[in-house]
Structures are given as structure tokens and as C-alpha cells.
Amino acid sequence: MEYNNIGRAKEASKEEETGDQVNVIFYTLPKYRFTILMQVLLVLDLASSVTLWLCGGNTKYMEDHVTNFTIRDSVIDLAVLSFIRCGLLFFIYGFLENISLKQIDHPYESSLSTKKCIWHFIILFFSIGSLAFSITKGVLIYNVRSDSAHHLHSTYYALVISALCFCFLESVGAVLSFHAMRKLKIMRILLTPNDKENEEKPKKKVSLGRLATLTKPEFFILFVASLALLVSAGSQIAAPYFFGMVITAAMEPGMKKLNETILILLLIYIGGAIGSMIRAWLYTLAGQRIVARIRKQLFNAIIRQEVAFFDTNRTGELINRLSSDTQVIQNALTVNISMLLRYVIQILGSIVFMFTLSPKLTGVLISVVPIIGVGAQQYGKYVFYT
């Protein structure tokens, strides 16, 4: 039995000889299964720990917590432990799944059972041991939190909380891994050679670069529209900051600073509105020109076809290509790209702006993003399937 990764699913092949005939049996596993979920959780744990550690104050503060390490005054041990644990368990879960699949077809091989028990023990040891260490660390830091001599950066407190949450989830996963590995026998899907032959070949996807070549005549229009998009996104990033300055100026005596701040805020909103108008106008203009050119080229290609072409392609399908499909291309090249650029600029700009204002608060906010993201994804799946 050999197990090979094909795409995102794992496929196994087995050959059984019966006389002169060789039967080949193929197995596939679902894309979303226990091993994949645990590996995603480990990646989130690692990313959260490293991010929170790097966000903890300036360089000198971090160096002091490494060179003058004490169990109550530093959390570098949690970050290092997370790095080692997540890196090892990520691959161990893959090894465990591979051995469990082999054991299904060779249930009497004692070596496979021994290896499986060893991997289970290692997973339990790292998961529960890390949870115990995180709890101990959290209790020690909690007991000295009011002592100024042992005061930590706010993101380091967030790192302790993050380590406790992730270690608890990983420990639960380690306990459930016994049941999950046994379920692989009923999860894998049997495919026969006929299924492989009759399986529809995936349609070739057109790359974004090839679609982008259609926009060459409108390059200047799209370039100006992108500049307007940058102005619009920048105004949305800066507006909350100056709105806060308006509130601060309103609490101070005198009206001069308040009037100046309100004027700046007004100019930001006006500039953002003008940028949004230019962006929408130019992107729409470029999109309509692209659609008109594609429809003209497509129509010219259709009318040059032979009569046999219209016997195999129905008129409704051809009309749909001229109307709906060209509109989809327009949205992909203009509207979708515009939204992608706007959101990327807003996210990156907001993060940079937040770090310049308060690195501590930004680190705390970023620490909860993985948890919220995973929760939102699971809730979306629940709503979709119910």
C-alpha cells in the first residue's frame, strides 16, 4: 500500500493479484478532516505566539527579557515552546494519519500498532505538558501582576492568554485523535479504475495575467483610477484619527485648534469623496470599453464559423457568451480588482497607522484575530450546511 498526496486530498492505491488479473483500488480522503483541522490550529497558534512576542515593546525591552530571563518576568519561554511544539506536532499528525491508514489494510502488523502508540504518546506529551506549563506560567504571572518590578508588556499578557487557549484546544485534539484515527476507515472513499477514467477532467482555468492583457488599451485609465482609489482609501484610514483629534480639541479651551482640526477633517472627507467618484467613474468606463471590445471580437469570431459549428453549439449558449460571460470578465478585471486593492490598502494602512499610535493596543487586537477568524469560518460552515 502506498500513500501519496494528490492535490489537497490523500490518495492510496492497492494492487491485488488474482491469477493473471490485477485489480487496482484507489482511496481518497475528505479535504476537511481532523488532521487538517489540527494542523491549521497549530499554524494559528504559532503565528499568534510569534506575533505577540514581536509586538512586545521596543528592541531593548525584548533583549532584556531574553538576556535577563526569569520565569515571572518574561514569556520568551512560551514563544519558544510554541515554536517547537507547533513545528513538531504539525508533522507528527501527518505521520500518525499515514500510519493509521496503513494499519487499516494491515491490521496484524504489530510494528504499525507500536508506531501509532508512540506517535499518540508524543502528541499527548507535548499537548498536555504545554498546557500544564502554560497554566503554571499564567498563575505565576498573575500572582505578581500588581508588583511594578514584575510588570510585563500588555502583549505579553495577551501571549499568556493565547498560549492557554491554544494549548487547551490542542490537548482536547490530542485526546480526540484516538477516535479520529479510527474513523479514517469509514471516511476514506473507494474509487475503482472506471471511476478514475470516467471522472470529469477539471476545466482549465484562465490565469489573471492572461485576462489582464485585455486591459492594455485602458491602462492609463486604470492607472488614474488606482491613484484615485489610493486617495479614497487613505482618507478612510486617516478620518478616524482626525475625528479623535476633533474630540480632543473640543475639550481644550479656545476654538482655534478645534476649527483647524474640523477644517482638516472636512478636507479629508471631501478628498475621499472626490477620489471615490473618480475611481468609480474610471473603473466603470474602462470596464464598459473592455466589454464592448470583447463582444465585438467574439461576435466577429462567431460569424466566421462554418455551418457545422452552429449544429453543435446552440444559439442560446452563444448569446449567453456574448451577454453574461463578457459581463463576468468585466467584473473580474475592474470591480473585483478595485475592491481587492481597496481592502488591501485599508488593511495594511490601518495596521501601520495603529502601530504608530499604540503598538501595545495593536498587539492585543491582532492576538484575537485568528480566534475570531476560525470561529467565523466554522459558523459559516454550520450555517451553510444547515
Side-chain angles (χ1 to χ4, degrees):
M1 176 77 67
E2 295 180 357
Y3 297 89
N4 301 314
N5 287 327
I6 299 180
R8 298 177 63 186
K10 185 173 289 186
E11 184 172 0
S13 62
K14 179 181 180 182
E15 294 186 359
E16 298 177 351
E17 294 188 6
T18 307
D20 297 332
Q21 186 179 4
V22 178
N23 297 323
V24 183
I25 302 174
F26 299 91
Y27 294 103
T28 61
L29 290 175
K31 295 180 181 179
Y32 304 104
R33 56 189 186 275
F34 176 81
T35 302
I36 302 299
L37 294 178
M38 290 304 302
Q39 289 177 337
V40 171
L41 180 65
L42 292 168
V43 171
L44 293 176
D45 183 8
L46 177 60
S48 175
S49 300
V50 173
T51 302
L52 290 174
W53 166 249
L54 294 178
C55 293
N58 53 34
T59 305
K60 186 177 183 305
Y61 183 84
M62 296 173 61
E63 291 178 354
D64 291 340
H65 278 255
V66 175
T67 55
N68 303 320
F69 171 79
T70 58
I71 190 67
R72 296 182 178 182
D73 296 336
S74 179
V75 292
I76 182 62
D77 48 350
L78 287 178
V80 173
L81 179 63
S82 174
F83 182 81
I84 297 174
R85 181 184 71 254
C86 294
L88 290 176
L89 293 184
F90 184 89
F91 294 102
I92 289 176
Y93 272 109
F95 296 150
L96 178 62
E97 183 182 77
N98 196 17
I99 291 175
S100 300
L101 289 171
K102 291 180 180 179
Q103 191 182 28
I104 293 173
D105 297 290
H106 305 281
Y108 300 107
E109 286 193 16
S110 58
S111 60
L112 294 177
S113 180
T114 303
K115 291 179 181 179
K116 185 177 178 180
C117 292
I118 292 174
W119 289 128
H120 273 303
F121 174 78
I122 294 175
I123 291 174
L124 285 173
F125 174 78
F126 275 101
S127 300
I128 299 178
S130 298
L131 177 62
F133 180 81
S134 300
I135 293 174
T136 305
K137 183 82 172 182
V139 171
L140 292 175
I141 293 178
Y142 180 80
N143 291 334
V144 297
R145 70 189 187 284
S146 59
D147 189 354
S148 59
H150 299 279
H151 185 69
L152 294 177
H153 196 273
S154 57
T155 55
Y156 288 174
Y157 289 116
L159 175 56
V160 175
I161 298 173
S162 174
L164 286 171
C165 295
F166 279 111
C167 287
F168 174 75
L169 294 176
E170 291 164 12
S171 299
V172 173
V175 175
L176 295 177
S177 63
F178 293 91
H179 177 67
M181 294 302 118
R182 288 195 297 267
K183 285 187 64 177
L184 289 174
K185 186 174 183 178
I186 60 176
M187 287 177 61
R188 62 181 189 173
I189 305 168
L190 175 64
L191 296 178
T192 64
N194 291 332
D195 294 332
K196 298 292 289 184
E197 294 174 0
N198 298 331
E199 186 178 358
E200 293 185 1
K201 295 182 179 180
K203 296 181 179 180
K204 185 178 180 181
K205 296 182 178 180
V206 180
S207 63
L208 184 60
R210 184 179 175 185
L211 288 176
T213 57
L214 301 174
T215 64
K216 286 184 178 180
E218 286 76 30
F219 175 78
F220 180 74
I221 297 176
L222 293 175
F223 177 74
V224 177
S226 299
L227 294 179
L229 183 146
L230 183 62
V231 173
S232 175
S235 66
Q236 294 181 7
I237 296 173
Y241 173 73
F242 284 95
F243 189 80
M245 291 183 62
V246 169
I247 298 176
T248 303
M251 297 180 181
E252 298 178 357
M255 296 294 294
K256 182 179 179 181
K257 185 176 181 180
L258 178 61
N259 293 334
E260 292 177 352
T261 309
I262 292 177
L263 180 60
I264 294 174
L265 183 62
L266 180 62
L267 293 176
I268 290 175
Y269 278 122
I270 293 175
I274 295 174
S276 298
M277 181 192 68
I278 296 175
R279 171 189 60 81
W281 172 48
L282 292 180
Y283 271 116
T284 303
L285 176 63
Q288 293 298 331
R289 289 187 177 184
I290 293 171
V291 168
R293 187 169 61 255
I294 292 175
R295 285 175 177 170
K296 184 178 180 180
Q297 294 174 357
L298 180 58
F299 181 76
N300 291 333
I302 290 175
I303 62 177
R304 288 197 299 267
Q305 300 298 320
E306 298 180 355
V307 178
F309 173 80
F310 298 96
D311 294 334
T312 57
N313 295 275
R314 291 178 292 184
T315 305
E317 293 180 355
L318 299 177
I319 294 176
N320 186 61
R321 296 290 182 269
L322 282 169
S323 57
S324 301
D325 291 2
T326 52
Q327 191 67 33
V328 171
I329 295 176
Q330 176 200 358
N331 293 335
L333 295 177
T334 56
V335 178
N336 295 344
I337 296 296
S338 171
M339 294 177 62
L340 175 64
L341 292 176
R342 182 175 61 181
Y343 290 140
V344 168
I345 293 173
Q346 287 181 350
I347 291 173
L348 296 180
S350 298
I351 292 176
V352 172
F353 204 70
M354 290 165 61
F355 267 111
T356 57
L357 294 177
S358 177
K360 299 179 181 179
L361 184 59
T362 305
V364 174
L365 292 175
I366 292 178
S367 65
V368 300
V369 171
I371 301 175
I372 296 175
V374 173
Q377 182 186 19
Q378 297 302 320
Y379 179 74
K381 290 181 180 179
Y382 171 77
V383 172
F384 178 78
Y385 288 110
T386 55

